[in-house]
């Protein structure tokens, strides 16, 4: 059996899959690169996939999901800095990119250094779109065309969300490509991940774990939308596109794989769906959603991944709205999997 991980895009909402993977690593006692034969991601999911496939600089071990959670908790404000001047000059992202890429590139350089795609300790693939060639482009750690590309450049390309950051200029095989966020055509990379796995492991059974970054629930009222032009539709159209392709991919994977496919996704009723809301309150709300999602699906997740049950036979699906309830259930049933770091993660400073 081959295991494949697919992670959606979603900006700061990437803290949801990051926290899920943190708990999965704790439950299994393994790093993600040991559990998964192929990791694929779009945008923030691409950044996570790359990070989880990389040995930490100066150490002979991969980054843990917990270490990558730190990016969302403590570096979000560097990636999405609130600048009144930039906001006014860009007209909220309509006349120019909303954010300078300096903060994002600094964080990527700090974590990825000069590591290349070929240094990945497990197969990894991230999506992007070439706006000059007008075609999708996939960075694949095992492919010659990608192996010499710096991981931070691949991460910069897959996170170059239109209106938020300028396109990334990346040299690939002596050709400069202008790349943007792969979410414009594939925010949920599960289908492509499965197809790639079929090519990589043609004679083996495949399981795909798909992690979302939150289901959009904010309505777009007809009375408002009916009078919108290009400016009015700019950001709402992108959110519809990202959300729609993710839901379509989920349906397709259910049909293709049945029980060999598991998707963990949560509604964003209790958190802001904006991909750049890096306020402490929103990060805490997203973190709580992640913990509730893990708790409600812990039996399905461990069974799917083949992790020993840890006396979980009496656990029923939960509808917990409090961190206290999450802590109590997990402490009792899975050996304190949420541990003492829970307070630090939800009390962002």
């Amino acid at each position: 059996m081959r295991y494949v991980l697919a992670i959606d895009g979603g900006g700061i909402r990437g803290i949801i899959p990051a926290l899920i993977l943190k708990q999965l690593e704790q439950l299994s006692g393994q790093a993600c690169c040991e559990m998964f034969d192929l990791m694929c991601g779009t945008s923030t999911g691409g950044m996570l996939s790359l990070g989880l496939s990389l040995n930490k600089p100066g150490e002979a071990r991969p980054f843990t999901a917990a270490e990558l959670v730190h990016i969302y908790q403590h570096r979000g404000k560097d990636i999405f800095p609130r600048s009144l001047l930039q906001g006014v000059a860009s007209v909220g992202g309509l006349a120019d990119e909303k954010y300078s890429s300096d903060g994002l590139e600094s964080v990527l350089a700090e974590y990825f250094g000069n590591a290349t795609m070929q240094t990945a300790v497990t197969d990894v693939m991230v999506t992007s779109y070439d706006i000059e060639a007008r075609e999708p482009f996939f960075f694949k750690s095992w492919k010659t065309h990608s192996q010499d590309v710096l991981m931070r450049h691949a991460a910069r390309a897959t996170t170059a969300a239109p209106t938020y950051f300028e396109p990334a200029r990346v040299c690939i095989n002596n050709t400069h490509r202008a790349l943007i966020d792969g979410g414009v055509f594939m925010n949920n990379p599960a289908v492509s991940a499965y197809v790639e796995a079929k090519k990589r492991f043609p004679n083996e059974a495949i399981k795909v774990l798909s992690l979302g970054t939150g289901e959009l629930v904010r309505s777009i009222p007809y009375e408002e939308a009916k009078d919108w032009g290009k400016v009015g539709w700019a950001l709402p159209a992108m959110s519809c596109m990202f959300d729609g392709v993710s839901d379509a991919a989920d349906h397709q994977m259910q049909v293709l794989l049945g029980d060999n496919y598991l998707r963990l996704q949560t509604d964003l009723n209790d958190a802001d769906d904006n991909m750049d809301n890096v306020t402490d309150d929103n990060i805490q709300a997203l973190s709580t959603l992640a913990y509730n999602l893990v708790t409600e699906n812990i039996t399905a997740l461990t069974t799917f991944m083949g992790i020993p049950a840890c006396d979980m036979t009496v656990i029923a699906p939960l509808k917990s709205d409090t961190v206290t309830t999450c802590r109590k259930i997990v402490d009792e049933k899975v050996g304190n999997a949420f541990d003492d770091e829970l307070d630090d993660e939800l009390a962002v400073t």
Side-chain angles (χ1 to χ4, degrees), residues 134-276:
R134 298 302 294 264
E135 63 184 13
F137 183 83
F138 295 86
F139 292 92
K140 303 175 184 180
S141 62
W142 63 94
K143 287 289 190 179
T144 302
H145 69 71
S146 297
Q147 289 184 333
D148 292 332
V149 174
L150 295 179
M151 278 196 175
R152 59 186 166 91
H153 290 168
R156 172 68 177 85
T158 195
T159 55
T163 76
Y164 290 90
F165 298 107
E166 66 183 40
R169 184 63 96 172
V170 182
C171 184
I172 302 168
N173 279 350
N174 298 316
T175 299
H176 285 87
R177 287 179 175 265
L179 302 173
I180 62 173
D181 192 326
V184 297
F185 71 96
M186 186 182 294
N187 201 51
N188 175 352
V191 175
S192 276
Y194 173 60
V195 170
E196 206 62 43
K198 290 290 288 181
K199 292 190 293 183
R200 294 288 286 160
F201 318 112
N203 300 314
E204 301 183 58
I206 294 168
K207 282 189 171 185
V208 176
L209 175 64
S210 173
L211 301 181
T213 59
E215 185 79 25
L216 303 186
V217 294
R218 183 171 24 166
S219 175
I220 300 176
Y222 168 78
E223 290 302 323
E224 294 181 17
K226 68 182 181 67
D227 295 321
W228 285 346
K230 291 181 180 180
V231 172
W233 270 111
L235 293 180
M238 190 165 67
S239 72
C240 291
M241 178 172 57
F242 285 7
D243 195 45
V245 296
S246 292
D247 291 344
D250 178 36
H251 173 71
Q252 292 161 355
M253 289 301 296
Q254 291 180 43
V255 173
L256 287 170
L257 281 182
D259 291 341
N260 280 346
Y261 168 73
L262 177 65
R263 180 163 172 82
L264 297 186
Q265 176 69 301
T266 182
D267 288 340
L268 292 169
N269 290 306
D270 299 319
D272 187 3
D273 62 17
N274 285 311
M275 60 183 283
D276 59 344

